[in-house]
């Protein structure tokens, strides 16, 4: 589709329109989810309707958090590239949308999502200070972000507690992991199994159709009942690709994230750089190329933003 489109499809105006509609789509979807949570709380008496998987409904919370973090990036980039005195009402609306999506990321309680959000806030704070020489703006972003994280931890400790628990699991003895049902422990156990498979087939992998069979065999051998029952994938796209396609596939995956990232830095394309960074971080803990929610998001925006960046038309939304 993209390769047969004319150049006008990737103009600065079209890029801005497309990103705007993505933000509006995220907003509409989030309102639907919050509405559904209210209904579930009032009529079905669900105690956790606003939290984690119950809130994300038909989506995995990690994927929704990734979408919302990217929406925050789009809004933030437009916000800092426009003077506050120009249409201050719209600036306030954009600030409100950032807070809305930020709050939703915490409600979704994805550990990768919360860490990605912290990284986005730190990036924009540093960008304002070191790139724009706007010390006030950078300190303000960092201060507000810190206050929000602290306030949410005091009022709604669940999301950040999940990060604390993950840290405890990582520091625990690896020998206890195979029988744990905690999500971080499950991932660490699966990663150990995947590493064993990689050592056995490091050159060409086991093939894209045999990854699940190899994993299930290992789960059975090691007594990993939860992983076996759920037929879990690797939960790390880097390892998943290495298991399936071997060293060559792994190198290609890394290069298709790193090389465009270097180009985006050279061309000062903040949105594309952060899109790649958010996706690269999230696939550390999810095999996102194994699901439509991950493949479509990456394939669409990676192609569109790359072509937009490499065209002669400078994006208006990124200065």
């Amino acid at each position: 589709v993209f390769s047969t489109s004319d150049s006008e499809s990737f103009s600065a105006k079209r890029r801005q329109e497309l990103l705007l509609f993505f933000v509006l789509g995220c907003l509409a979807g989030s309102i639907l989810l919050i509405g559904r949570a209210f209904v579930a709380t009032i009529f079905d008496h669900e105690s956790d309707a606003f939290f984690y998987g119950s809130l994300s409904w038909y989506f995995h919370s990690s994927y929704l958090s990734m979408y919302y973090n990217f929406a925050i990036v789009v809004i933030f980039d437009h916000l800092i590239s426009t003077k506050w005195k120009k249409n201050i009402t719209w600036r306030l609306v954009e600030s409100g949308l950032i807070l809305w999506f930020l709050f939703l990321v915490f409600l979704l309680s994805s550990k990768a999502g919360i860490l990605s959000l912290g990284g986005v806030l730190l990036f924009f704070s540093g960008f304002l200070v070191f790139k724009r020489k706007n010390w006030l703006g950078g300190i303000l972003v960092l201060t507000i972000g810190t206050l929000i994280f602290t306030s949410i931890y005091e009022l709604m400790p669940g999301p950040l507690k999940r990060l604390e628990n993950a840290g405890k699991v990582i520091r625990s003895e690896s020998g206890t992991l195979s029988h744990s049902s905690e999500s971080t422990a499950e991932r660490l156990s699966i990663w150990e199994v995947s590493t064993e498979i990689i050592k056995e087939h490091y050159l060409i992998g086991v093939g894209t159709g045999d990854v699940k069979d190899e994993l299930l065999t290992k789960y059975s051998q090691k007594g990993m009942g939860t992983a076996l029952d759920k037929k879990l994938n690797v939960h790390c796209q880097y390892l998943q690709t290495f298991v399936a396609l071997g060293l060559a596939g792994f190198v290609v995956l890394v290069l298709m994230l790193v090389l465009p990232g270097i180009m985006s830095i050279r061309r000062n394309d903040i949105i594309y750089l952060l899109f790649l960074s958010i996706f690269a971080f999230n696939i550390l803990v999810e095999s996102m190329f194994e699901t439509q929610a991950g493949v479509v998001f990456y394939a669409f925006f990676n192609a569109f933003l790359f072509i937009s960046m490499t065209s002669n038309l400078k994006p208006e939304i990124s200065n």
Side-chain angles (χ1 to χ4, degrees):
V1 172
F2 287 114
S3 63
T4 57
S5 300
D6 57 46
S7 59
E8 181 61 25
S9 300
F10 308 99
S11 66
K13 181 180 179 181
R14 286 292 178 85
R15 169 171 161 145
Q16 191 167 7
E17 290 174 347
L18 186 144
L19 293 174
L20 171 62
F21 280 114
F22 171 74
V23 172
L24 292 177
C26 287
L27 177 61
S30 65
I31 293 173
L32 175 64
L33 293 178
I34 292 295
R36 183 261 174 192
F38 270 112
V39 171
T41 301
I42 296 172
F43 296 101
D44 298 330
H45 307 290
E46 291 187 18
S47 59
D48 60 347
F50 288 90
F51 181 71
Y52 197 40
S54 297
L55 176 62
S56 58
W57 204 4
Y58 285 109
F59 277 93
H60 193 293
S61 60
S62 293
Y63 291 81
L64 270 182
S65 297
M66 180 173 65
Y67 301 163
Y68 293 158
N69 276 321
F70 184 51
I72 290 173
V73 167
V74 172
I75 302 168
F76 228 130
D77 182 74
H78 188 264
L79 189 64
I80 66 174
S81 64
T82 308
K83 293 183 178 179
W84 265 89
K85 292 182 179 180
K86 182 180 179 182
N87 198 349
I88 191 169
T89 301
W90 182 242
R91 304 285 82 77
L92 292 173
V93 170
E94 290 179 318
S95 300
L97 284 174
I98 290 174
L99 293 175
W100 170 257
F101 287 125
L102 186 151
F103 183 61
L104 284 169
V105 170
F106 275 99
L107 288 179
L108 290 168
S109 301
S110 164
K111 288 167 283 192
I114 293 173
L115 291 174
S116 296
L117 175 61
V120 167
L121 295 178
L122 285 174
F123 174 88
F124 279 108
S125 177
F127 179 82
L128 287 170
V129 171
F130 299 108
K131 187 71 173 179
R132 294 287 180 81
K133 308 302 180 184
N134 184 349
W135 286 84
L136 178 61
I139 293 174
L140 186 63
V141 170
L142 185 61
T143 302
I144 292 176
T146 303
L147 288 174
I148 290 174
F149 270 70
T150 303
S151 300
I152 290 178
Y153 181 73
E154 294 295 330
L155 299 174
M156 191 177 62
L160 294 179
K161 280 289 185 182
R162 296 190 75 234
L163 287 174
E164 290 184 10
N165 292 336
K168 292 178 182 178
V169 169
I170 293 172
R171 293 190 297 270
S172 69
E173 292 293 329
S174 60
T176 66
L177 294 177
S178 62
H179 302 287
S180 173
S181 60
E182 205 279 337
S183 62
T184 301
E186 284 181 348
R187 282 182 171 85
L188 292 175
S189 298
I190 294 171
W191 293 350
E192 289 180 3
V193 168
S194 303
T195 302
E196 291 182 13
I197 298 175
I198 288 172
K199 290 179 180 177
E200 297 169 2
H201 307 275
Y202 69 92
L203 194 58
I204 61 174
V206 300
T208 55
D210 295 325
V211 175
K212 184 63 67 69
D213 291 338
E214 292 287 338
L215 288 172
L216 293 180
T217 300
K218 289 287 186 180
Y219 295 159
S220 179
Q221 292 174 353
K222 294 181 175 294
M224 297 168 58
T226 302
L228 183 62
D229 293 340
K230 294 181 179 179
K231 298 182 179 180
L232 297 177
N233 61 33
V234 179
H235 278 74
C236 172
Q237 189 60 57
Y238 300 103
L239 292 177
Q240 182 93 27
T241 301
F242 213 142
V243 170
L245 301 174
L247 180 61
F250 173 76
V251 171
V252 170
L253 173 61
V254 172
L255 290 179
M256 62 191 261
L257 295 169
V258 172
L259 294 182
I262 294 173
M263 293 178 64
S264 66
I265 294 173
R266 291 176 176 175
R267 294 173 183 260
N268 198 27
D269 194 329
I270 295 175
I271 290 179
Y272 189 33
L273 172 63
L274 288 180
F275 165 78
L276 291 168
S277 300
I278 290 172
F279 190 79
F281 179 74
N282 275 268
I283 64 174
L284 276 170
V285 293
E286 294 289 345
S287 297
M288 290 191 168
F289 286 154
E290 302 301 304
T291 64
Q292 188 177 27
V295 170
V296 173
F297 177 73
Y298 171 80
F300 180 84
F301 280 107
N302 183 65
F304 182 83
L305 293 174
F306 180 83
I307 298 173
S308 173
M309 178 188 69
T310 54
S311 67
N312 294 323
L313 299 169
K314 181 175 176 147
E316 294 176 352
I317 202 166
S318 293
N319 286 345

